[in-house]
């Protein structure tokens, strides 16, 4: 599998949220706005890339019977860096995200990539995998946060879209709104995948047609 396929697989086809429905706690907890979703996704992407890189480097020296505790320790080190950096330079956002930053340590998608991919592949491929999975996770948080913010408050990244008289829909800011919005987003993703599949099938038929014509003429 080349790097483009690794990226496409992690970002879209095997997306942590859209395909696997993993990491739902931060998805539903922090996505009250697009900005919150973006920074939570950025923090997770940094942890994914860093932990994948280190796991791939040291995979040959970690005993198999202690590999999971070792991976968790590596992940926790990067989470600590993110937690302290956000507290120092983005204290407002740090207070908003709160406990969800330390909870990246137990995000099953982060540990899953370390175990399933980084421990079996090269450093460069592992970094690409971490980047793609992180960006896919960020996309999901950003889309859900944006939808909830637009419908719930009539704003996007804090900027009003519909004027001062927009009637806020509090339900979309509360947890039930997250489930409702996520359901419609997943329907949209399924429709996009179906459309992409039909386009791929048409391209395949177009490529095979000249070959069939040559075979029949021969």
């Amino acid at each position: 599998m080349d790097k483009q396929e690794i990226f496409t697989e992690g970002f879209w086809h095997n997306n942590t949220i859209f395909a696997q429905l993993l990491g739902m706690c931060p998805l539903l907890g922090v996505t009250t706005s697009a900005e919150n979703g973006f920074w939570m996704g950025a923090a997770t992407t940094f942890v994914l890339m860093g932990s994948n890189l280190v796991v791939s480097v040291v995979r040959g020296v970690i005993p198999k019977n202690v590999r999971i505790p070792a991976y968790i320790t590596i992940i926790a080190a990067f989470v600590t860096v993110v937690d302290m950096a956000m507290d120092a330079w983005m204290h407002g956002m740090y207070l908003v995200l709160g406990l969800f930053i330390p909870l990246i340590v137990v995000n099953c998608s982060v540990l899953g990539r370390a175990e399933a991919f980084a421990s079996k592949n090269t450093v460069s491929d592992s970094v690409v995998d971490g980047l793609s999975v992180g960006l896919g996770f960020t996309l999901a948080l950003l889309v859900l946060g944006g939808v909830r913010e637009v419908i719930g408050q009539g704003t996007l990244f804090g900027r009003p879209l519909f004027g001062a008289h927009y009637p806020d829909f509090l339900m979309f800011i509360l947890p039930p709104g997250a489930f409702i919005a996520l359901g419609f987003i997943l329907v949209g993703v399924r429709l996009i995948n179906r459309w992409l599949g039909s386009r791929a099938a048409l391209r395949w038929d177009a490529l095979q047609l000249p070959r069939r014509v040559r075979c029949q003429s021969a």
Side-chain angles (χ1 to χ4, degrees), residues 128-195:
V128 172
D129 178 75
L131 175 64
S132 64
V133 173
L135 290 179
F137 187 67
T138 303
L139 173 68
L141 267 67
L142 183 61
V143 170
L144 181 58
V147 169
R148 293 178 66 189
E149 183 182 359
V150 169
I151 298 177
Q153 304 178 72
T155 63
L156 185 62
F157 287 99
R159 298 183 178 181
L161 298 178
F162 307 114
H165 300 290
Y166 180 80
D168 295 348
F169 290 93
L170 180 61
M171 182 182 70
F172 280 90
I173 303 301
L174 297 175
F179 283 101
I180 296 171
L182 179 61
F184 282 105
I185 291 171
L186 291 177
V187 170
V189 170
R190 298 297 186 272
L191 293 176
I192 292 173
N193 284 335
R194 184 178 300 178
W195 176 72

Side-chain angles (χ1 to χ4, degrees), residues 2-19:
D2 60 26
K3 288 180 174 55
Q4 183 177 354
E5 291 175 333
I6 293 172
F7 186 88
T8 305
E9 187 71 15
F11 180 76
W12 185 260
H13 297 303
N14 201 28
N15 185 283
T16 302
I17 301 299
F18 295 151

